Amino acid sequence: MHDTPQGGRTLPGRRSGVRRAFAASLTGTALEWYDFAVYSAAAALVFGDLFFPSEDPLTGTLLAFSTYAVGYVSRPLGGLVFGRLGDVIGRKKVLIATLILIGVATFLIGVLPTYSTIGVAAPIALVVLRFAQGVGVGGEWGGAVLLSSEFGDPRRRGFYASAAQVGPPAGNLLANGVLAALGALLTEAQFESWGWRVAFLLSGVLVGFGLWIRAKLEETPVFKAMEAEKTRPEAPVREVFTTQPRALIAAMLCRVGPDVLYAMFTVFVLTYATQELDMSRGSALAAVLIGSSLQVFLIPLAGAVSDGINRRLLYGVSAVAAGVWPFVFFPLAGTGWPALAAGVVVGLAIHSFLYGPQAAFIAEQFSPRLRYTGSSLAYTLAGIIGGAIAPLLFTTLLSAYGSWLPLALYIAVAATVSVAGVFLGRDPDAAVEEDARLAEPAAAGTVPTG
């Protein structure tokens, strides 16, 4: 029996499934992003010295951020492989596979010898493991979004889909919290010698917890309906490119600005604060920690707000704010730590009002039968031109010009790209009707419970 949304309600028989799916989407994505975020922080703080030794600290950081970018460049492979599988064999099986992949890769980074021990093999192995992380994350996002949103009322998709969006700040919060605690408990030498490894080795415990939660879930009602009606696509990747190119382009463009903004206020700000503003590592991490903790609440709030007003309008206004804020932040940050922390909090608050509605907005660009593939492709391909190169470009621009102005201009351009994507996207109301039509055949001949 498949209970379906009727009249904008989530039927009682599905409510427990909605709660479980929301929790599984949030916790699983948070655990994967813990793995991804702990690498990002380590790249900014210690990987330059340990895996890419150089006489110039900025050059070592630049090389470390190159491996950071690999995690984004490999995402499209994950989006292609796992996105297709998600539309063909189901959301649940794919999400278990992605969690295992990224967890194993992160654990292995924690035991990886450094350059001083095995020479050039160390950075090569680091790149390979980072590549595997990116493949896992590339296949994770689209499925995590659908896992929660396809169980719930389509008219509240902004809130339900935001479960997956809470994952990055929650994972980032956990990662930076662990690193900050290690930094406070250990000396500088201890942290650089072995302390950073503890954060990576914790991944094994966290992934086990995430697998336990996801294994208890059923497949989503929308996918079950596709199975019952035999409407699953045979070649979803080709169909997305041939039948829904505008949706793919719109979804890709709208992601660029938030990706660049997030890279600034969670990754590069650590380098900027320590190397340009002469602040301690702990102070820089604390600023990110505060901003990320607020995002855990702001993102679902923004998703819920987008259900009550025009989602595209909220996204567009937030994108404009993202382009303007860096011109305020950089002069402000130079006046001291309180100003830096406040600037990071505002930057991540703006990001929340982009990121909260983003999952629903992107999913609604595609028809239900191609939604996993389309969403995954948009997410991963946009990551290459957005988040992948952002820390690298931030570092290069700062090194070349010695000024924050080119950094702010770069973020403004990225935000403008997102505004273009919002205008190109379609009105999301049509997606509600699509879900209703898709769900009806699966419920034919059944009486909803409650």
Side-chain angles (χ1 to χ4, degrees), residues 260-261 264-265 268 272 320-331 393-394 397-398 403-416:
V260 172
L261 189 72
M264 174 67 235
F265 287 108
F268 185 75
Y272 188 80
V320 172
V324 171
W325 181 244
F327 293 94
V328 178
F329 167 75
F330 283 108
L393 276 181
F394 285 140
L397 290 171
L398 184 62
S403 168
W404 59 263
L405 186 58
L407 312 183
L409 289 172
Y410 170 38
I411 298 173
V413 170
T416 302

Side-chain angles (χ1 to χ4, degrees), residues 279-332:
M279 295 183 184
S280 69
R281 176 187 294 149
S283 296
L285 284 169
V288 175
L289 205 63
I290 294 169
S292 294
S293 64
L294 292 176
Q295 278 201 296
V296 173
F297 303 99
L298 288 176
I299 286 176
L301 172 64
V305 169
S306 77
D307 288 326
I309 65 176
N310 186 281
R311 210 181 320 275
R312 295 172 70 196
L313 176 62
L314 179 62
Y315 206 104
V317 170
S318 301
V320 172
V324 171
W325 181 244
F327 293 94
V328 178
F329 167 75
F330 283 108
L332 187 68

